[in-house]
Amino acid sequence: MRVAKRIENLPPYLFVEITKKIAEKKAKGEDVVSFAIGDPDIPTPSHIIDRLCQAAQDPANHRYPESAGLPELRQAIAGWYEKRFGVTLDPETEVVPVIGAKEGIAHIPLCFIDPGDVALVPDPGYPVYSVGTMLAGGEPYYLPLKAENDFLPDLNNIPEDILKKSKLLWLNYPNMPTGAVADEEFFSKVVEFARKHDVAVCHDSPYTEVAFDGYQPISFMQVEGARDVGIEFHTLSKTYNMTGWRIGMAVGNATMINALKTVKSNMDSGIPQAIQYAAIEALNGPQDCVQEHNDIYQRRRDLVIEMLNSIGIEAKPPKATLYVWAKVPEGYTSAEFATDLLEQVGVVVTPGTGYGKNGEGYVRISLTIPDAGLVKGLSRLAGWRDIKNRFRAKQT
Ligand SMILES: Cc1ncc(COP(=O)(O)O)c(C=O)c1O
């Protein structure tokens, strides 16, 4: 049996490979500490789970949901955007729940990309932006995110022939994997760019609520004109530790939302209703948990940065996201350094090249590791430094 070319040509999903490597080590009886996957270790807050359990008991929630989501959920999403960002959305036309942001991100190219069209995609970036484009028959054109530009893409440096074929522009701030943030000035330039070149903007923003030192990330939707040119994806995954429940949202431009609703209604039958009620509780309920989680991540971030700097690895504390984007030591590629850490001290980090070729020279370290694992992982990193020092001493 032969699978379709569109599948043959796809790279394996990054974390499938990493999970396989970890499983192989574990099968050999080796103990591995993983800083690889950005999946919150802290449980979903109990008031949200209680609502889920209650809703699961109601037979009305055992039936097919509507793919456009419960009106109460769309209302809760609009209410949350109003409270959090001062952005007013029409729950009927400017909001659609998605089965996790990943589902919406994978499907939106089907709405805008025809074979031969181009999507402008940040590099390094979340792999689904380019894979969704390829599955729709289009081609990604990569926009390098460089440290010297604060990991923002240079929109003035895209060739004219590419601009003519470009239908979508992907952006993601606070940024995964670099931890960079964007301000209103940058987003205003994006609106101007999108208008000039007739490109639809998809801003992926799962990390607006994971922020440190009092910093409050903004929404693309806060910027004048954003709604005319684009949509934003957000998710409950990281804000309320709900990665396993699979629920998120797309909001903004009504034409884009309507197109996504059309694709979704033909492909999925919505999010289980009990989960929709849990999401309503999360969005409307007490928000203290968000700061409590951020305090935990901030403490971990500081411990990781301190350890990395102490072993000669350059990394700046991110203002937001669950990740530290660390420079690999001289003489290593990203992959070599990640392999060395795994082989020498049983620590897993994600090579930056897993997010694109401009991720070379970096590794991503996730802060979603329980404290006991974190302490063990950090002491292993110190062990790696000692091994290297002994090796150097032997050579001289
Ligand atoms: C940048 C980015 N976008 C989207 C997602 C997917 O989020 P969800 O769990 O809502 O599918 C992730 C998950 O790690 C992410 O890092």
Side-chain angles (χ1 to χ4, degrees):
M1 198 185 289
R2 247 199 84 186
V3 297
K5 287 197 185 66
R6 77 174 69 83
I7 299 290
E8 269 180 354
N9 296 339
L10 283 190
Y13 193 65
L14 174 63
F15 286 108
V16 173
E17 291 297 290
I18 291 177
T19 311
K20 217 159 77 187
K21 263 196 184 168
I22 298 175
E24 280 164 14
K25 285 263 162 199
K26 286 191 175 161
K28 286 192 223 155
E30 293 174 35
D31 179 33
V32 170
V33 178
S34 176
F35 288 98
I37 299 177
D39 188 357
D41 56 299
I42 311 166
T44 308
S46 56
H47 65 283
I48 301 172
I49 300 175
D50 290 346
R51 183 68 188 100
L52 174 70
C53 294
Q54 188 196 22
Q57 300 286 353
D58 182 350
N61 297 327
H62 302 171
R63 311 190 71 192
Y64 282 125
E66 272 184 51
S67 77
L70 288 163
E72 301 93 304
L73 174 60
R74 281 185 270 116
Q75 187 68 55
I77 292 169
W80 183 82
Y81 256 83
E82 182 82 58
K83 264 186 300 191
R84 173 63 180 86
F85 300 115
V87 169
T88 308
L89 296 164
D90 179 349
E92 280 302 307
T93 59
E94 294 178 320
V95 174
V96 64
V98 289
I99 312 170
K102 186 176 184 180
E103 179 263 312
I105 292 167
H107 281 147
I108 193 86
L110 293 176
C111 309
F112 293 95
I113 298 284
D114 283 318
D117 288 344
V118 166
L120 303 168
V121 172
D123 172 0
Y126 185 56
V128 188
Y129 310 143
S130 48
V131 169
T133 304
M134 291 187 258
L135 287 175
E139 271 177 56
Y141 179 85
Y142 293 103
L143 306 177
L145 304 186
K146 301 218 181 249
E148 59 265 33
N149 297 331
D150 299 322
F151 298 108
L152 298 171
D154 181 358
L155 298 175
N156 297 319
N157 204 13
I158 304 168
E160 203 50 48
D161 60 321
I162 295 293
L163 284 171
K164 282 204 184 105
K165 292 191 277 182
S166 298
K167 296 285 159 55
L168 282 184
L169 165 63
W170 280 102
L171 294 170
N172 158 227
Y173 293 97
N175 184 258
M176 193 294 297
T178 69
V181 296
D183 60 13
E184 221 169 312
E185 193 187 332
F186 172 73
F187 282 149
S188 297
K189 284 187 191 147
V190 169
V191 171
E192 206 180 302
F193 171 88
R195 282 207 171 113
K196 183 165 169 202
H197 300 288
D198 193 19
V199 168
V201 178
C202 291
H203 183 238
D204 179 27
S205 68
Y207 299 103
T208 54
E209 306 317 293
V210 186
F212 313 119
D213 307 315
Y215 174 69
Q216 284 226 313
I218 59 169
S219 157
F220 177 56
M221 288 299 135
Q222 280 171 259
V223 173
E224 210 187 312
R227 192 187 314 232
D228 300 335
V229 296
I231 57 171
E232 180 160 88
F233 290 96
H234 186 69
T235 174
L236 280 76
S237 284
K238 319 287 168 151
T239 308
Y240 304 106
N241 306 331
M242 290 172 68
T243 48
W245 306 118
R246 310 309 304 133
I247 187 158
M249 61 200 78
V251 307
N253 184 275
T255 305
M256 294 176 75
I257 294 294
N258 190 42
L260 185 55
K261 276 184 183 168
T262 305
V263 166
K264 283 177 61 54
S265 63
N266 283 288
M267 284 192 149
D268 68 63
S269 298
I271 302 156
Q273 264 180 205
I275 290 174
Q276 296 193 44
Y277 281 111
I280 294 170
E281 175 63 30
L283 295 166
N284 289 345
Q287 300 295 306
D288 327 347
C289 54
V290 176
Q291 187 56 46
E292 286 162 18
H293 303 152
N294 287 347
D295 290 344
I296 296 172
Y297 294 132
Q298 185 171 324
R299 182 171 49 74
R300 292 178 183 172
R301 175 200 68 169
D302 293 343
L303 288 171
V304 167
I305 295 282
E306 197 184 304
M307 173 55 71
L308 291 174
N309 291 344
S310 84
I311 64 173
I313 293 174
E314 200 186 313
K316 292 195 183 119
K319 282 187 181 171
T321 77
L322 294 167
Y323 313 104
V324 170
W325 189 234
K327 269 201 152 158
V328 303
E330 248 185 75
Y332 287 92
T333 64
S334 299
E336 284 166 356
F337 182 53
T339 304
D340 203 48
L341 284 180
L342 181 61
E343 297 304 333
Q344 304 274 358
V345 290
V347 167
V348 186
V349 297
T350 316
T353 39
Y355 301 100
K357 76 176 179 2
N358 286 287
E360 184 54 272
Y362 292 89
V363 290
R364 193 195 80 166
I365 294 173
S366 167
L367 303 173
T368 57
I369 176 168
D371 282 3
L374 182 82
V375 170
K376 199 199 274 186
L378 293 177
S379 81
R380 287 182 180 197
L381 286 176
W384 179 84
R385 172 195 52 196
D386 296 342
I387 293 170
K388 294 294 139 182
N389 285 346
R390 278 202 298 277
F391 180 69
R392 270 189 218 109
K394 249 193 219 164
Q395 284 194 318
T396 51

